[in-house]
Amino acid sequence: MTNQEAKARITALSAELNEHNYKYYVLSEPSISDFQFDKKLEELIALEAEFPEFLSSESPSQRVGGTITKEFPTVKHQYPMLSLGNSYSKEEMQEFMARITKALEREVEYVCELKFDGVAIGIRYVDGRMTQAITRGDGVQGDDITANIRTIRSLPLQANGSGYPKEFEVRGEVYFPRDKFEQLNRDREEIGEPLYANPRNTASGTLKSQDSAVVASRGLDCFLYATMAAERIADTHYGSLMQLKEWGFKVSEHMRLCKTPEEVFAFLEKWDTERFKLGFDIDGVVIKVNSLDDQDELGFTAKSPRWAIAYKFASEQALTRLNEVTYQVGRTGAITPVANLEPVLLAGTTVKRASLHNADQIAKLDLHLGDMVQVEKGGEIIPKIVGVDLKQRKANAEPVKYIQTCPECSTELVRNEDEAKHFCPNELGCPPQVKGKMEHFISRKAMNVDGLGAETVQQFYDAGLLENVADLYELTYEQIIALERMADLSTRNILAGLEASKQVPFPRVLFGIGIRFVGETVAKKLAKHFKNIDALMIASQEKLVAVDEIGERIAESVLQFFADERNQRIIQRLKQHGLKLEVTESIELTSNKLEGKSFVVSGVFSQFSRDEIKAAVEQHGGKNVSSISKKTDYVLAGDKMGPSKLQKAEELGVPIISEEDFLVMIAG
Ligand code: IVH
């Protein structure tokens, strides 16, 4: 392909992909399949790698993130980001509109919009290109989070059409779509990570992530609701939003031009009840004077515009009876009290249970059995009890007494001084903890045992085949096939999966054995520092806290874990079964052996995760590229590599090497 041809193809592909992004993320009307989209994107990425001179920062290939920001610079807003006055009742809304009629001496039109519950953002465009995105901050200055905002696919990196001012800013709200949020929590549940409480805080936390690839993976979205520039783009607010829409920005379809106060009230009422049908959270509606001349005339107070107001919905509450308090035991032994309620309709769903968090919460509410309790569903997914109707309490009602022993194994509960929750210390004997530990051990980010899922582990446990993770490696064909729903193939798959998991690298094994507070990152740090489990097992408190980012709490937990003889025995058995309990030296070393060489890594590897093997390429001076071109030096192929990649490598004559070949290469 000549330079000229490549340039033309890159331009055409970019335009096509932008169009599909727009159809998918802004209009929700995709016209090609995800597969077709990915193919085109792959082609674009390959071309850009081959002809980097034609890679533009607005290219659709730039949405995947990857930029690491250590600290977000603070920048001043060109136009201050004000907030809105709030109102909580129809009377206050009436007064707001009456004030405006009085000031302007005539009735005016209003635009009613949803009040999105997310994070405010101001995004600057110069010559139609996104140049900077700043959080609200204190209204005068905020954080520059441009790299993270650029990953939001509904936001144009380059505005559509023409006629936009040379410089303009759009304002909007970044939010976490509810389905994406729920998926994220399901993924976290699978690996035993604590769940996020609500979409808004999680959106806010995500936007502050230092790694824009994390932001890209989360699926945030953004509605725009205002624009500012030196010159107006329309005479009315409604006209401005229509104009923004034409330039490719995502403006909510749920906004109305209202000509009378009655129409405004109808809008409020509609969304007070229908808000739960939306795929995202709103916490009210916003009413704005439509004419921009009128807005100018009304002006601002010190904090907010006089031409707009927010109407906040009351949190939905319901009164119902508390029947019983039960207690759940988590994987780590943490106890969560749960209120069992007389079923009641709240915010569109029937609520039967509410979280009580911990003993203090029960004491604070002074809960008695049979109490009539006020249940509220705010931004949180799980409803909470916010109060008790004391007038309805019976004279002989029993106070809720927090349990002293574990509901699952009767061990006496413990509460550490600085922790809010009680926990069951019987780590190795308490059924939900034992099962939870095993589920965690086999999960994707730990041992990733093919063919084995949580349900099967439960089944093994219930059949008395498992007591701890080392037992997994002593399961026999006969034991498994004897169980219900087990066939020859599934049995062999499970055994093969367990066998293959013996190649999982040390940091993931360490994460998998489930030491309290040792998550993925901590496990990597410990493995890197101590190199093998024996050194870690005898490490003193001082040695542990000397490791970068390991604090006393983690050190204490590691010491406690290895001090237990039962854990020591489990580790010995894992060692005998051949699990990797030391770092593979060759991968730890760095060298220049791969300097100038480019690799396409594809498929599933036995000793490393794909990210680990890619990191190894870089540690040895090589470069990772995502698509195969004739400039690629090697294709590093694992299992299950796609046939199209294989074919392409063969066509272009790029050598295909295995994991073992690679290890030999870097070991020299
Ligand atoms: S207009 C001058 N419209 O609510 C203020 N704000 O306190 C212009 N919000 O931080 C704001 N949805 O992030 C406006 N449709 C909407 C909105 C909205 C959510 C947020 C915004 C701001 C807060 C107002």
Short mmCIF file of all heavy atoms in Angstrom, two decimals, residues 81-86 113-121 136 172-173 225-226 283 286 288 300 303-305 307-308 310, ligand 1:
data_model
loop_
_atom_site.label_atom_id
_atom_site.label_comp_id
_atom_site.label_asym_id
_atom_site.label_seq_id
_atom_site.Cartn_x
_atom_site.Cartn_y
_atom_site.Cartn_z
N MET A 81 -18.16 27.60 36.82
CA MET A 81 -19.20 26.56 36.81
C MET A 81 -20.06 26.74 38.05
O MET A 81 -19.69 26.31 39.14
CB MET A 81 -18.56 25.17 36.80
CG MET A 81 -18.30 24.67 35.41
SD MET A 81 -17.48 23.07 35.39
CE MET A 81 -18.83 21.99 34.95
N LEU A 82 -21.21 27.36 37.85
CA LEU A 82 -22.09 27.65 38.99
C LEU A 82 -22.96 26.45 39.31
O LEU A 82 -23.00 25.49 38.56
CB LEU A 82 -22.96 28.86 38.65
CG LEU A 82 -22.20 30.14 38.32
CD1 LEU A 82 -23.14 31.24 37.91
CD2 LEU A 82 -21.35 30.57 39.51
N SER A 83 -23.66 26.57 40.43
CA SER A 83 -24.62 25.49 40.71
C SER A 83 -26.03 26.05 40.60
O SER A 83 -26.23 27.22 40.26
CB SER A 83 -24.35 24.87 42.07
OG SER A 83 -24.52 25.85 43.04
N LEU A 84 -26.99 25.22 40.89
CA LEU A 84 -28.39 25.63 40.74
C LEU A 84 -29.03 25.80 42.10
O LEU A 84 -28.68 25.09 43.05
CB LEU A 84 -29.17 24.55 39.99
CG LEU A 84 -28.87 24.35 38.52
CD1 LEU A 84 -29.54 23.07 38.03
CD2 LEU A 84 -29.35 25.55 37.72
N GLY A 85 -29.98 26.73 42.19
CA GLY A 85 -30.80 26.80 43.40
C GLY A 85 -31.68 25.56 43.44
O GLY A 85 -32.03 25.02 42.39
N ASN A 86 -32.00 25.10 44.63
CA ASN A 86 -32.83 23.90 44.76
C ASN A 86 -34.23 24.23 45.25
O ASN A 86 -34.42 25.18 46.01
CB ASN A 86 -32.21 22.94 45.79
CG ASN A 86 -30.98 22.28 45.23
OD1 ASN A 86 -30.90 22.00 44.03
ND2 ASN A 86 -30.01 22.02 46.09
N GLU A 113 -35.69 19.87 31.89
CA GLU A 113 -34.73 18.78 31.62
C GLU A 113 -34.65 17.86 32.82
O GLU A 113 -35.02 18.23 33.92
CB GLU A 113 -33.33 19.36 31.38
CG GLU A 113 -33.23 20.23 30.16
CD GLU A 113 -31.92 21.02 30.13
OE1 GLU A 113 -30.95 20.61 30.81
OE2 GLU A 113 -31.90 22.05 29.45
N LEU A 114 -34.08 16.71 32.60
CA LEU A 114 -33.82 15.81 33.72
C LEU A 114 -32.59 16.32 34.46
O LEU A 114 -31.70 16.93 33.85
CB LEU A 114 -33.56 14.39 33.22
CG LEU A 114 -34.66 13.77 32.39
CD1 LEU A 114 -34.29 12.36 31.98
CD2 LEU A 114 -35.98 13.77 33.18
N LYS A 115 -32.54 16.09 35.76
CA LYS A 115 -31.33 16.43 36.51
C LYS A 115 -30.54 15.14 36.71
O LYS A 115 -30.86 14.32 37.57
CB LYS A 115 -31.68 17.07 37.85
CG LYS A 115 -30.47 17.58 38.59
CD LYS A 115 -30.87 18.46 39.75
CE LYS A 115 -29.66 19.11 40.41
NZ LYS A 115 -28.62 18.20 40.82
N PHE A 116 -29.53 14.97 35.89
CA PHE A 116 -28.75 13.73 35.88
C PHE A 116 -27.89 13.66 37.14
O PHE A 116 -27.28 14.65 37.54
CB PHE A 116 -27.85 13.69 34.63
CG PHE A 116 -28.62 14.01 33.38
CD1 PHE A 116 -28.47 15.24 32.75
CD2 PHE A 116 -29.53 13.11 32.86
CE1 PHE A 116 -29.20 15.56 31.62
CE2 PHE A 116 -30.25 13.41 31.73
CZ PHE A 116 -30.10 14.64 31.11
N ASP A 117 -27.86 12.48 37.73
CA ASP A 117 -27.13 12.33 38.98
C ASP A 117 -25.76 11.75 38.68
O ASP A 117 -25.56 10.54 38.68
CB ASP A 117 -27.92 11.39 39.91
CG ASP A 117 -27.45 11.49 41.34
OD1 ASP A 117 -26.65 12.40 41.63
OD2 ASP A 117 -27.88 10.67 42.16
N GLY A 118 -24.82 12.64 38.39
CA GLY A 118 -23.48 12.17 38.03
C GLY A 118 -22.44 13.19 38.42
O GLY A 118 -22.50 13.75 39.52
N VAL A 119 -21.51 13.44 37.52
CA VAL A 119 -20.40 14.34 37.80
C VAL A 119 -20.38 15.42 36.72
O VAL A 119 -20.35 15.10 35.53
CB VAL A 119 -19.06 13.56 37.74
CG1 VAL A 119 -17.90 14.46 38.08
CG2 VAL A 119 -19.11 12.36 38.68
N ALA A 120 -20.37 16.69 37.15
CA ALA A 120 -20.40 17.78 36.17
C ALA A 120 -19.06 17.90 35.45
O ALA A 120 -18.01 17.71 36.06
CB ALA A 120 -20.73 19.09 36.88
N ILE A 121 -19.13 18.22 34.17
CA ILE A 121 -17.89 18.34 33.41
C ILE A 121 -18.01 19.51 32.40
O ILE A 121 -19.09 19.77 31.88
CB ILE A 121 -17.57 17.01 32.66
CG1 ILE A 121 -16.16 16.99 32.09
CG2 ILE A 121 -18.60 16.72 31.56
CD1 ILE A 121 -15.11 16.68 33.10
N ARG A 136 -15.85 20.11 37.81
CA ARG A 136 -16.39 21.34 38.38
C ARG A 136 -15.46 21.92 39.45
O ARG A 136 -15.23 23.12 39.50
CB ARG A 136 -17.76 21.05 38.98
CG ARG A 136 -18.38 22.24 39.61
CD ARG A 136 -19.87 22.05 39.81
NE ARG A 136 -20.41 23.28 40.34
CZ ARG A 136 -20.44 23.57 41.63
NH1 ARG A 136 -19.96 22.72 42.50
NH2 ARG A 136 -20.93 24.72 42.04
N GLY A 172 -21.88 19.33 30.78
CA GLY A 172 -22.77 18.18 30.90
C GLY A 172 -22.47 17.36 32.13
O GLY A 172 -21.70 17.77 33.00
N GLU A 173 -23.08 16.21 32.17
CA GLU A 173 -22.97 15.34 33.34
C GLU A 173 -22.50 13.96 32.89
O GLU A 173 -23.12 13.34 32.02
CB GLU A 173 -24.37 15.24 33.97
CG GLU A 173 -24.37 14.76 35.38
CD GLU A 173 -24.18 15.88 36.41
OE1 GLU A 173 -23.86 17.02 36.03
OE2 GLU A 173 -24.33 15.57 37.60
N TYR A 225 -25.87 19.51 28.51
CA TYR A 225 -27.06 20.32 28.77
C TYR A 225 -26.80 21.83 28.66
O TYR A 225 -27.66 22.62 28.99
CB TYR A 225 -27.68 19.99 30.12
CG TYR A 225 -26.69 19.97 31.28
CD1 TYR A 225 -26.05 21.13 31.68
CD2 TYR A 225 -26.42 18.80 31.96
CE1 TYR A 225 -25.15 21.12 32.72
CE2 TYR A 225 -25.53 18.78 33.02
CZ TYR A 225 -24.89 19.94 33.39
OH TYR A 225 -24.00 19.93 34.41
N ALA A 226 -25.62 22.22 28.24
CA ALA A 226 -25.37 23.66 28.08
C ALA A 226 -24.15 23.88 27.21
O ALA A 226 -23.33 22.97 27.04
CB ALA A 226 -25.14 24.32 29.43
N ASP A 283 -31.85 12.81 39.97
CA ASP A 283 -32.29 13.14 41.32
C ASP A 283 -33.27 14.31 41.33
O ASP A 283 -33.55 14.88 42.36
CB ASP A 283 -31.10 13.39 42.26
CG ASP A 283 -30.19 14.50 41.77
OD1 ASP A 283 -30.30 14.87 40.59
OD2 ASP A 283 -29.38 15.00 42.56
N VAL A 286 -34.61 19.94 36.05
CA VAL A 286 -34.10 21.31 36.03
C VAL A 286 -35.01 22.13 35.12
O VAL A 286 -35.37 21.67 34.03
CB VAL A 286 -32.65 21.36 35.50
CG1 VAL A 286 -32.11 22.79 35.55
CG2 VAL A 286 -31.75 20.44 36.30
N LYS A 288 -35.39 25.76 33.13
CA LYS A 288 -34.58 26.89 32.67
C LYS A 288 -35.43 27.82 31.80
O LYS A 288 -36.23 27.34 30.98
CB LYS A 288 -33.41 26.39 31.82
CG LYS A 288 -32.49 25.43 32.56
CD LYS A 288 -31.44 24.82 31.65
CE LYS A 288 -30.58 23.84 32.45
NZ LYS A 288 -29.64 23.09 31.63
N PHE A 300 -27.56 36.63 37.51
CA PHE A 300 -27.11 35.63 38.49
C PHE A 300 -27.12 36.18 39.90
O PHE A 300 -26.95 37.38 40.09
CB PHE A 300 -25.66 35.22 38.19
CG PHE A 300 -25.50 34.55 36.86
CD1 PHE A 300 -25.37 35.30 35.69
CD2 PHE A 300 -25.48 33.17 36.77
CE1 PHE A 300 -25.22 34.68 34.46
CE2 PHE A 300 -25.33 32.54 35.54
CZ PHE A 300 -25.20 33.30 34.39
N LYS A 303 -24.17 32.70 43.58
CA LYS A 303 -23.89 31.28 43.41
C LYS A 303 -24.57 30.63 42.22
O LYS A 303 -24.08 29.63 41.68
CB LYS A 303 -24.34 30.53 44.67
CG LYS A 303 -23.33 30.62 45.80
CD LYS A 303 -23.65 29.65 46.90
CE LYS A 303 -24.99 30.01 47.50
NZ LYS A 303 -25.33 29.44 48.76
N SER A 304 -25.73 31.18 41.84
CA SER A 304 -26.49 30.46 40.82
C SER A 304 -27.29 31.40 39.92
O SER A 304 -27.54 32.55 40.29
CB SER A 304 -27.41 29.45 41.50
OG SER A 304 -28.10 30.09 42.55
N PRO A 305 -27.70 30.88 38.77
CA PRO A 305 -28.47 31.74 37.86
C PRO A 305 -29.88 31.99 38.41
O PRO A 305 -30.44 31.12 39.07
CB PRO A 305 -28.53 30.92 36.57
CG PRO A 305 -28.28 29.51 36.96
CD PRO A 305 -27.46 29.54 38.21
N TRP A 307 -32.26 32.41 36.40
CA TRP A 307 -33.16 31.93 35.34
C TRP A 307 -33.34 30.41 35.33
O TRP A 307 -33.94 29.85 34.42
CB TRP A 307 -32.66 32.40 33.96
CG TRP A 307 -31.16 32.25 33.78
CD1 TRP A 307 -30.23 33.24 33.94
CD2 TRP A 307 -30.44 31.08 33.41
NE1 TRP A 307 -28.97 32.75 33.70
CE2 TRP A 307 -29.07 31.43 33.37
CE3 TRP A 307 -30.80 29.77 33.11
CZ2 TRP A 307 -28.07 30.50 33.05
CZ3 TRP A 307 -29.80 28.86 32.79
CH2 TRP A 307 -28.45 29.24 32.77
N ALA A 308 -32.80 29.75 36.33
CA ALA A 308 -32.95 28.29 36.38
C ALA A 308 -33.08 27.83 37.81
O ALA A 308 -32.63 28.51 38.74
CB ALA A 308 -31.76 27.61 35.73
N ALA A 310 -33.42 23.89 40.26
CA ALA A 310 -33.56 22.42 40.28
C ALA A 310 -34.72 22.06 41.18
O ALA A 310 -34.89 22.66 42.24
CB ALA A 310 -32.28 21.78 40.80
S1 IVH B 1 -27.66 23.31 34.34
C1 IVH B 1 -25.57 27.30 36.13
N1 IVH B 1 -28.85 21.09 33.73
O1 IVH B 1 -26.72 19.79 38.73
C2 IVH B 1 -25.80 25.87 36.42
N2 IVH B 1 -27.34 21.06 35.56
O2 IVH B 1 -26.30 22.29 40.99
C3 IVH B 1 -26.04 25.13 35.18
N3 IVH B 1 -27.06 18.86 36.60
O3 IVH B 1 -23.46 20.69 39.06
C4 IVH B 1 -26.39 23.72 35.44
N4 IVH B 1 -28.43 17.78 35.27
O4 IVH B 1 -23.83 19.06 37.25
C5 IVH B 1 -27.98 21.69 34.57
N5 IVH B 1 -29.97 19.19 33.03
C6 IVH B 1 -29.10 19.77 33.86
C7 IVH B 1 -28.43 19.07 34.87
C8 IVH B 1 -27.56 19.77 35.73
C9 IVH B 1 -27.59 17.66 36.29
C10 IVH B 1 -26.10 19.08 37.71
C11 IVH B 1 -24.92 19.90 37.32
C12 IVH B 1 -24.69 20.89 38.43
C13 IVH B 1 -25.79 20.59 39.38
C14 IVH B 1 -26.50 21.88 39.73
#
